[in-house]
Amino acid sequence: MPQYNYFQPDNNGHKSFELPGAKPHYNPDRPGQVEHIFLNLVLDIPQQRYQGTCAIRLNPVRSGIDRLTLDAVNLTIDTVTVDEVSQAFDYDGEQLHIQLQQPTEAGKVITLAIAYRVAHPQRGLYFIAPTKHYPNKPTQVWTQGEDEDSRFWFPCFDYPGQLATSEIRVQVPKNLIAISNGELVGTEELKDAKVYHWRQQDVHPTYLMTLAVGDFAELRDEWQGKPVTYYVEKGKEEEARLSMGKTPRMIEFFSQKFGYPYPFPKYAQVCVDDFIFGGMENTSTTLLTDRCLIDARAAIDNRTTEALVAHELAHQWFGDLVVIKHWSHAWIKEGMASYSEVMWIEQEYGAEEAAYYRLGEARNYLDEDTSRYRRPIVTHVYREAIELYDRHLYEKGACVYHMIRAELGEELFWKAIATFVNDNAHRTVETVDLLRAIEKATGRNLLFLFDQYVFRGGHPDYKVTYSWDGDSNLAKLTVTQTQAKDKDSRNELFDLKIPIGFGYVGGSGGDKIVSVRVCDREQSFYLPLEQKPDFISFDVGNHTLKTVVLEYPIPELKAQLRHDPDPLSRICAAEALAKKGGLEAVKALTEAFQQEAFWGVRVEIIKQLASIKLDQAFKGVVAGLQDEDARVRRAAVEALADIKTVESYKAVKPLAEKGDPSYYTEAAAIRALGTLAGSSLVSDKEEKTLKLLKSVLKERQGWNEVVRAGAIAALSQMKTSEAALDLILDYTELGVPQSLRLSAIRALGAISTGQANLNLERILDRLKELSRESFFLTQVAVVNALRQMETPKAIAILNSLAEQTPDGRVRRIAEEAVQQVQKNVGSDKAVKQLREELDQLKQENQELRSRLEALEAKAT
């Protein structure tokens, strides 16, 4: 693995990932191999406490060890024994130091038994129960171990390099059931309780040990005789089938793709309330947020749940069967789980759908790289391991796996993956082990790719120009890597082979692909062809993670938009056409929209039409409101929200009033109405819009509060309205459904930028009060609100939250939000007024340009 100066990374002007306090992290020295962990627990759910014993069987690696240190945070330790002999110990609230009476002998197994108690745990294990404000909340208990939270609910060697079998025996109230890893080996009926005994026979790390308790409905499927079960709150059985019913087919698919049959005795998915993630891939027992349960209307255009189910299932191989040795290599599992979403979409819905989904992954990473920070995928320098769980790890990791697949080809890629999984089953791995498996299976050394995309940050930014020399029948392409600021910036350049495709429409010539090596800041390629191509595809298949700006003539872009077989290339052509602007571009995009078969490209065409500041583009955007695909209708609505005119308002209003078969499209229309009414160009519609939004909030309750959240977002755009603020504040109160309440909290930040000082103080007071709540998602919503504000007073609340929160993710985003607020503070009222005046001038300029374009078109 190459060495880098982690403390002075060359981020080419990007913010550093490493915040103050970041340092290198390594796994601790191993006193021995943990062979087995046995938890014997009694839950007191009404009092939100539990007690029990953690027994750890340890095979010492060497003789003479007289002191053991375990991770254990905020536990009450009662006794410690080794082979039933009492041991002296020190406990500082974070680590348990055991002074062994008898030093270890190498290979002589010892059993530690730690009796302990926990009351009102803050992390690791969560008690969910009805409250005064939420009387219908279910009674549940669930755990969350990743990254280093298992130490909050039982004492352990809490790092992924230790693999052991495990066992959990737990006593719960008789009306509840308990689910854990592995197989249920027995139950025991007591007077008022029931004991569940689960055993995990395959080794796994502590962070994948889990427990979920609740009054669940159990739905059963199977795969090759193995139980496949879904646990949900009673009454949600239909949603469970709709959300998770494809699991057996997914298990079969991944078993074939990974070259290793599903490795565990069962696969359970448990949907729990107030879960702090989307899902968690505990070995054989995935926990999912109950927010993922979709109804029939949500299923129209919601693939998020299906992707989540595929993601967590893929982890059973990548993460659970093959375990990362250290958090710095988490991309191996998270990148593959994210790429497995792409693979499942391809399997279920086809290649174009998968390509578009992959584009979304790339865009998510690019957004983080541009707006947040740039980092190597593999780095061991951080403050807390959870900081690594970002879009570099997930989405960029997925794109890297796709590049490996493109580089090796289908047969060799899957051979390499099967080799990696089979060689490392029930073992720990680092990134180098993936490289070794690839070389073993294929003979290929892909270190060049890993060096550029995994062990350093960034990606190539290409600008491509094209011209045709008819005398010599030469196509000239000039490729510039614009991320390199000058010719001497060798460390910023990428060295890759890029396939260039030359396409011909209607069989006028055979399509041709030429691979070129792009390694310098600027290179020109002269490629002989029998005749002039109709269009040029840079990076055929678009397998390379990159950005690209095409500077082709309009005829070539029009032909590519209409005829390139790759949807991502058609999207690139649409972007390039829109940048050229003018009536010809509007006409080409409008015609392409009408003839485009794939909804994803239609969505992108709508976005590009809206970016052209000509009145003639409006007609093409409005056409999207009638599209058969809800996702295209949604894109049209969102585009119209950016075209701040009375005509846009009139186009969107019927959809907002009458609704749409899609929750998301209806919510987008409502949100757009608020955005338009809040604009200085459509300000006379504010009162009518406010009335509509009030009715939506009263009457349109639905799945996950999507529609009402759209109304809250609409209110947040009516930035000078005190009535809108009053409504939003009402929905931040306890008792409001959680999804809607979180939307309202976030909306306080957006509306704050137009409010008078007295109302600004009301917003700050409310956010300060909310920042004291301990629920993770509430804290995140508060940070997201504060980061949008334009007053230095927001900084004090953010700093206080960063200091007090126990969660590393909240701490980091709060510190980043402080920097954002400091930027925002320069946006005072004078600047806002200038913005409004600029919007007005832009509108007038657009009208003049539109008339001029129309006159020129007539003259032509």
Side-chain angles (χ1 to χ4, degrees), residues 456-498:
R456 83 174 194 192
H459 54 270
D461 298 314
Y462 295 120
K463 182 179 75 173
V464 186
T465 62
Y466 159 79
S467 62
W468 173 255
D469 183 346
D471 294 333
S472 305
N473 274 12
L474 286 176
K476 178 187 177 184
L477 265 78
T478 300
V479 183
T480 307
Q481 295 196 47
T482 59
Q483 81 280 356
K485 300 308 177 189
D486 53 61
K487 293 180 180 179
D488 297 326
S489 304
R490 300 299 307 176
N491 61 330
E492 297 173 9
L493 294 172
F494 283 72
D495 186 345
L496 300 167
K497 289 182 179 178
I498 304 292

Side-chain angles (χ1 to χ4, degrees), residues 805-842:
T805 182
D807 193 282
R809 290 158 299 176
V810 175
R811 186 176 305 111
R812 180 172 188 116
I813 63 172
E815 291 173 356
E816 291 176 348
V818 168
Q819 299 173 19
Q820 184 62 49
V821 173
Q822 288 169 339
K823 272 188 177 180
N824 297 345
V825 166
S827 303
D828 56 18
K829 288 186 178 179
V831 175
K832 288 178 197 171
Q833 187 176 346
L834 284 172
R835 283 180 188 157
E836 290 182 2
E837 291 173 0
L838 183 60
D839 284 343
Q840 187 69 44
L841 286 170
K842 283 181 178 177

Side-chain angles (χ1 to χ4, degrees), residues 565-634:
D566 179 18
L568 304 193
S569 289
R570 300 201 295 276
I571 290 168
C572 283
E575 292 171 351
L577 269 171
K579 283 180 182 174
K580 289 184 179 295
L583 278 184
E584 188 174 3
V586 170
K587 183 180 179 184
L589 288 166
T590 303
E591 290 177 353
F593 175 83
Q594 294 166 352
Q595 298 179 19
E596 174 60 52
F598 178 48
W599 68 267
V601 178
R602 296 203 302 278
V603 163
E604 299 297 325
I605 290 174
I606 287 287
K607 292 178 182 178
Q608 296 308 320
L609 272 169
S611 73
I612 300 175
K613 303 306 178 186
L614 290 175
D615 292 347
Q616 291 86 345
F618 178 81
K619 185 178 179 182
V621 175
V622 170
L625 294 177
Q626 307 304 319
D627 199 275
E628 63 182 2
D629 194 290
R631 292 161 292 192
V632 181
R633 297 196 300 274
R634 180 182 177 187

